Amino acid sequence: MPRPRRHLAPVSNQPQSYDYHQKMAWKITEDDWNTDENLRLQLGTKIPGSWDGARNGGGIQLFGRKQRYIAFGTYWPKEVKEEDLNIETIIRMKKGSEIRFVLKDSVYSHRTFQNYNMMLNKETVLPNPT
């Protein structure tokens, strides 16, 4: 049975003017981190050209209970070709001003579904921020 999700909106959102770039921040509370629900960190602005059936074209998923994993996925209409996309993700996890974790990823797998295509990076284990 799929676990329920808790959606967190960004506390800051600064779309950039070249190609497409978003710089966002989310505040994850201790209760959020320790919940049995998966956390979906929402994008603040829709990715141009992304599939309309996905909230803003993608998002970051934190899942797992005792150990959290992170993955970033984007969703595209069937007519968008994988080779036309160049996705680079940089995720930093901070506690206060201290950086606890950095993920830089530009390798994505392509998955095809009935109504859309998905680009997903490799799931990565997150350290406990406490």
Side-chain angles (χ1 to χ4, degrees), residues 8-126:
L8 303 177
V11 294
S12 72
N13 177 32
Q14 302 166 9
Q16 305 295 313
S17 60
Y18 60 96
D19 292 324
Y20 174 72
H21 180 93
Q22 279 191 63
K23 181 176 181 179
M24 291 170 289
W26 297 268
K27 182 173 181 154
I28 301 173
T29 67
E30 191 170 335
D31 285 343
D32 291 330
W33 185 266
N34 292 324
T35 184
D36 284 341
E37 298 173 301
N38 291 332
L39 300 177
R40 181 175 171 94
L41 307 181
Q42 300 174 17
L43 301 181
T45 305
K46 185 178 186 316
I47 299 171
S50 62
W51 182 55
D52 289 332
R55 185 176 294 179
N56 287 338
I60 297 171
Q61 183 87 11
L62 298 171
F63 53 96
R65 279 191 195 162
K66 296 188 189 244
Q67 180 67 62
R68 285 277 185 191
Y69 298 84
I70 189 168
F72 177 70
T74 58
Y75 306 89
W76 301 93
K78 296 293 259 180
E79 62 271 11
V80 174
K81 304 294 180 221
E82 175 183 3
E83 57 271 10
D84 293 336
L85 299 173
N86 180 16
I87 302 170
E88 183 175 5
T89 308
I90 302 172
I91 298 171
R92 290 182 188 91
M93 186 169 63
K94 294 168 53 174
K95 184 171 183 180
S97 62
E98 181 185 354
I99 295 176
R100 297 284 181 101
F101 172 82
V102 175
L103 169 65
K104 293 182 182 182
D105 201 348
S106 59
V107 177
Y108 283 75
S109 63
H110 177 260
R111 297 181 185 176
T112 300
F113 296 90
Q114 183 176 354
N115 298 320
Y116 62 92
N117 293 322
M118 180 180 183
M119 298 293 287
L120 184 68
N121 73 327
K122 186 178 95 176
E123 299 164 0
T124 303
V125 176
L126 284 172

